[in-house]
C-alpha cells in the first residue's frame, strides 16, 4: 500500500513540475503556416476528451513546431492556412489567419 502512495506522490510531483516549467517558458509570436494535423489517443487522463489534437506549423525560418491545440482550434485549422502564431512551450495560445 505504501508503495502505491509513494508512486502516486511521485507522479503528482512530476505533473506539477512539468506544468510549472511550461508556464515559465517564454511566450513567442511569429508568422507561420499549418503544414500537418493529427489526432492521437491521450497517454494520460489529464486531457478531458481522451484525445490529443496536434498541429504542425512551419515558421518563417523553416523550422517546424508541433503544438497541442483544443478540439475546436483543431477543427478551425486546415493545412496550408497562414497567419500569426503565438505559442508557449508546446501549447498554442492563438493563431490569427491572414
Amino acid at each position: 500500500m505504501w508503495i502505491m502512495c509513494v508512486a502516486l506522490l511521485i507522479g503528482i510531483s512530476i505533473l506539477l513540475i512539468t506544468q510549472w516549467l511550461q508556464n515559465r517558458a517564454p511566450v513567442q509570436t511569429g508568422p507561420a503556416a499549418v503544414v500537418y494535423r493529427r489526432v492521437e489517443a491521450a497517454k494520460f487522463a489529464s486531457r478531458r476528451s481522451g484525445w490529443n489534437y496536434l498541429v504542425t506549423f512551419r515558421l518563417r525560418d523553416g523550422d517546424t513546431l508541433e503544438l497541442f491545440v483544443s478540439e475546436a482550434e483543431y477543427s478551425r485549422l486546415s493545412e496550408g492556412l497562414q497567419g500569426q502564431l503565438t505559442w508557449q512551450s508546446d501549447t498554442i495560445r492563438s493563431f490569427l489567419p491572414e
Side-chain angles (χ1 to χ4, degrees), residues 8-22:
L8 180 62
L9 183 61
I10 290 171
I12 291 171
S13 297
I14 289 171
L15 288 174
L16 290 174
I17 290 169
T18 301
Q19 185 66 37
W20 180 75
L21 289 172
Q22 287 176 344

Side-chain angles (χ1 to χ4, degrees), residues 35-66:
V35 293
Y36 186 68
R37 304 173 343 135
R38 69 185 180 96
V39 178
E40 67 178 18
K43 294 180 178 91
F44 302 102
S46 63
R47 300 206 185 267
R48 283 177 239 183
S49 71
W51 299 99
N52 290 327
Y53 298 89
L54 297 111
V55 176
T56 302
F57 295 90
R58 176 162 284 116
L59 305 177
R60 176 183 284 173
D61 64 5
D63 287 346
T64 58
L65 183 64
E66 185 174 61

